[in-house]
Amino acid sequence: MTRMIKNFFYFTATNLEWKHILKPDKFKDVIIESFKFLVSKKRVRIFAFVIMPNHFHTVWKINEKLDKPDFQRDTLKFISQTILRDLKLYHPDMHKELYVGAKDRKFQLWERNPLSVPLLTQKFVEQKINYIHFNPVHPKWKLADEPQQYKYSSAKFYYEGVDEFGILENYMNVLKDE
């Protein structure tokens, strides 16, 4: 019998119109810093992630005391505000490309309605983690030859036991405690 898992999610946020806004490492670092903050405040446990030029994926467990939609919105809002400030100062042409003139915002970094899928079984968790780790080596991207060679990913943690960012937990350790 397959045991059901609670509060594990596969989350994907994509840049507006799939623009490659996250290509510069400084913007990937904004996401990493956000992850570090969230982990340090025990708002989330992160099991896997990858930050690509125009989107990021993560497998995480959101603190049960938090409202999932609010947590995700606030996380993306912080990242967005930080990157938009930088774009306005140092990359004004890219900043202008993100103008949407909507009622609730003038500029928009993320596509609306990010993907958040509950991961209810260990098999589903492993499938998503593998997908995340192989994203950078996919022929479409060619960002690395092997998953663990891509810096902005959790693959090195799973392949070599190295967590360069200090934010990761092995999902197996958490599943056995559930």
Side-chain angles (χ1 to χ4, degrees):
M1 184 168 141
T2 304
R3 189 176 52 138
M4 300 303 276
I5 300 170
K6 293 192 305 188
N7 295 323
F8 271 60
F9 294 94
Y10 170 73
F11 180 80
T12 301
T14 304
N15 292 143
L16 185 67
E17 299 173 353
W18 293 79
K19 294 179 189 307
H20 286 216
I21 297 163
L22 302 176
K23 189 173 183 179
D25 287 352
K26 68 179 177 176
F27 296 144
K28 292 181 195 82
D29 290 336
V30 169
I31 295 171
I32 294 295
E33 290 305 313
S34 178
F35 286 172
K36 286 180 179 179
F37 173 81
L38 295 169
V39 168
S40 74
K41 297 297 181 186
K42 299 190 184 325
R43 294 182 185 171
V44 71
R45 297 167 84 174
I46 299 175
F47 308 112
F49 74 92
V50 68
I51 306 169
M52 302 295 287
N54 64 0
H55 67 283
F56 74 89
H57 302 290
T58 186
V59 171
W60 56 19
K61 181 177 182 175
I62 298 169
N63 184 315
E64 294 171 14
K65 295 176 185 169
L66 300 175
D67 180 66
K68 181 179 70 94
D70 290 349
F71 166 79
Q72 292 172 169
R73 180 201 63 227
D74 293 349
T75 299
L76 292 180
K77 184 176 179 181
F78 171 80
I79 294 167
S80 176
Q81 289 175 340
T82 304
I83 292 174
L84 285 170
R85 260 193 309 273
D86 185 279
L87 289 172
K88 186 175 182 180
L89 284 171
Y90 304 109
H91 312 279
D93 291 339
M94 177 58 78
H95 185 259
K96 287 176 190 165
E97 287 184 39
L98 298 173
Y99 180 80
V100 293
K103 283 184 180 181
D104 63 338
R105 70 194 75 199
K106 290 188 173 149
F107 295 87
Q108 184 172 326
L109 182 69
W110 306 109
E111 288 285 342
R112 292 203 184 252
N113 303 315
L115 179 68
S116 185
V117 178
L119 302 176
L120 301 175
T121 66
Q122 181 176 337
K123 182 179 179 182
F124 203 18
V125 170
E126 290 168 354
Q127 178 189 36
K128 291 304 182 187
I129 289 175
N130 283 329
Y131 175 79
I132 284 171
H133 291 161
F134 280 91
N135 214 212
V137 301
H138 189 280
K140 174 184 177 182
W141 295 106
K142 298 178 189 157
L143 298 174
D145 293 326
E146 298 292 330
Q148 66 273 24
Q149 294 172 337
Y150 185 65
K151 178 179 179 179
Y152 291 96
S153 165
S154 55
K156 197 170 199 175
F157 176 69
Y158 285 96
Y159 283 75
E160 300 174 9
V162 177
D163 178 7
E164 293 180 17
F165 304 106
I167 59 173
L168 294 165
E169 290 185 63
N170 187 312
Y171 70 97
M172 289 298 296
N173 295 335
V174 176
L175 288 181
K176 71 180 180 185
D177 294 340
E178 296 259 316

